Amino acid sequence: MGRRALWRRVGMGKRVSRFRALLLVVFFAAPAWGSGTEQRVPILLYHRFGLVARNAMTVRTAVFAEQLGYLKSHGYRVIPLRELVAYIRGVGPPTPPHAVVITADDGHQSVYTDLFPLIRQYHVPVTLFIYPSAISRASYALTWNELRTMHGSGLVDIQSHTYWHPNFRTEKKRLLPQAYAKFVAMQLEKSKAMLDKKLGTPVNMLAWPYGIYDDDLIKEAVAAGYVAAFTMVSAPAGPANNAMALPRCLITDQDTGGTFGRLLKRNSR
């Protein structure tokens, strides 16, 4: 072999070695989803809004605006619920530092008149859990057009709260086993089908009515195509939780100022 060919081979060998070394650095330096300390994120749960707090489920609109301002001024980042669920299920990256999620259940008219303008102002995402039987029918409820408007904003994801918000514990006592099984399947499947038909949105998350669930209900929800479901247990949500029974922090009108801050700190780990 000539001297020039020998140097070319040596040079190529060095380049290959450097390339292999670079691949090893990239491989071992790349973050692995699920490695390191597990992140825990507070999922805030709202129901209704108004000028006055007429009941325990109503948060004054001014208080909600104050809470959004607190999140912004204290460095919290409101992320879509889907991002947190993907991380919890091990199919998405970790959430950013100081992440928080906002949800609202039931589909009360004040979600459109009070919540929606504020989330547009602050440009934060929200997930609504809706029971479709009331939409455009009950006087207190949202209309399908209002849901379409919110969904079209890109800030609002719409998911299932069953078809008419039953108390599964009561229905299980009232119905024979076969009838109860059909009832559960209807509540889980009809809600998904109607929301998809009316809004064209993929529905695969569920808020348990009254926070009631058990192993059989979870099994039925998974069979119906749900990948995550949510309770009313006040705790942060993370990979250590069962994805079909994720906790949420119920927010009340009393959660203002320092009280709201302490709630966030307790549920952010």
Side-chain angles (χ1 to χ4, degrees):
M1 179 183 296
R3 181 177 298 178
R4 185 173 298 175
L6 178 61
W7 279 113
R8 279 201 299 268
R9 175 170 291 188
V10 171
M12 182 177 293
K14 288 182 178 178
R15 287 196 296 272
V16 171
S17 296
R18 285 198 296 268
F19 181 69
R20 288 174 176 166
L22 179 60
L23 283 178
L24 289 173
V25 169
V26 171
F27 179 81
F28 287 109
W33 296 346
S35 66
T37 304
E38 289 186 347
Q39 292 171 276
R40 308 275 283 172
V41 175
I43 305 174
L44 309 185
L45 167 59
Y46 295 86
H47 287 83
R48 304 178 184 90
F49 305 88
L51 292 176
V52 296
R54 299 185 183 279
N55 52 54
M57 292 297 184
T58 300
V59 172
R60 283 174 292 161
T61 308
V63 170
F64 181 55
E66 177 189 311
Q67 291 167 344
L68 291 177
Y70 185 98
L71 293 173
K72 182 177 180 180
S73 63
H74 286 75
Y76 286 93
R77 179 176 171 183
V78 182
I79 64 171
L81 180 60
R82 285 186 181 277
E83 287 187 13
L84 175 59
V85 168
Y87 166 60
I88 289 172
R89 296 179 63 229
V91 296
T95 57
H98 307 296
V100 63
V101 170
I102 296 176
T103 67
D105 283 7
D106 297 345
H108 194 268
Q109 179 63 215
S110 59
V111 168
Y112 183 76
T113 58
D114 296 55
L115 174 143
F116 187 46
L118 284 169
I119 66 167
R120 283 194 298 182
Q121 177 184 334
Y122 283 89
H123 200 74
V124 297
V126 168
T127 295
L128 306 181
F129 287 100
I130 301 297
Y131 55 95
S133 66
I135 303 303
S136 286
R137 296 181 66 185
S139 59
Y140 63 82
L142 295 163
T143 67
W144 288 111
N145 282 338
E146 288 168 341
L147 283 172
R148 290 187 191 99
T149 297
M150 288 190 286
H151 183 248
S153 72
L155 294 173
V156 178
D157 188 21
I158 298 167
Q159 297 294 318
S160 171
H161 202 17
T162 68
Y163 185 63
W164 70 51
H165 201 288
N167 184 319
F168 283 125
R169 191 174 294 135
T170 300
E171 297 299 330
K172 189 173 185 177
K173 293 177 181 177
R174 184 179 70 85
L175 298 171
L176 294 174
Q178 187 175 5
Y180 175 68
K182 289 183 178 179
F183 175 79
V184 169
M186 181 276 289
Q187 289 289 336
L188 297 174
E189 295 169 7
K190 194 171 182 178
S191 176
K192 276 171 58 73
M194 182 167 286
L195 289 171
D196 187 17
K197 178 181 177 181
K198 293 285 190 178
L199 304 173
T201 181
V203 177
N204 59 5
M205 294 189 288
L206 168 73
W208 295 111
Y210 306 105
I212 295 171
Y213 70 95
D214 56 30
D215 290 344
D216 290 333
L217 285 170
I218 287 176
K219 189 179 300 183
E220 291 299 321
V222 170
Y226 294 97
V227 300
F230 301 85
T231 70
M232 295 175 63
V233 175
S234 187
N241 296 110
N242 182 343
M244 298 303 295
L246 292 169
R248 292 184 295 170
C249 307
L250 178 64
I251 302 300
T252 73
D253 193 64
Q254 305 303 311
D255 294 318
T256 60
T259 302
F260 186 62
R262 287 189 289 274
L263 180 148
L264 291 168
K265 288 181 180 177
R266 283 198 310 270
N267 291 284
S268 299
R269 299 175 189 169

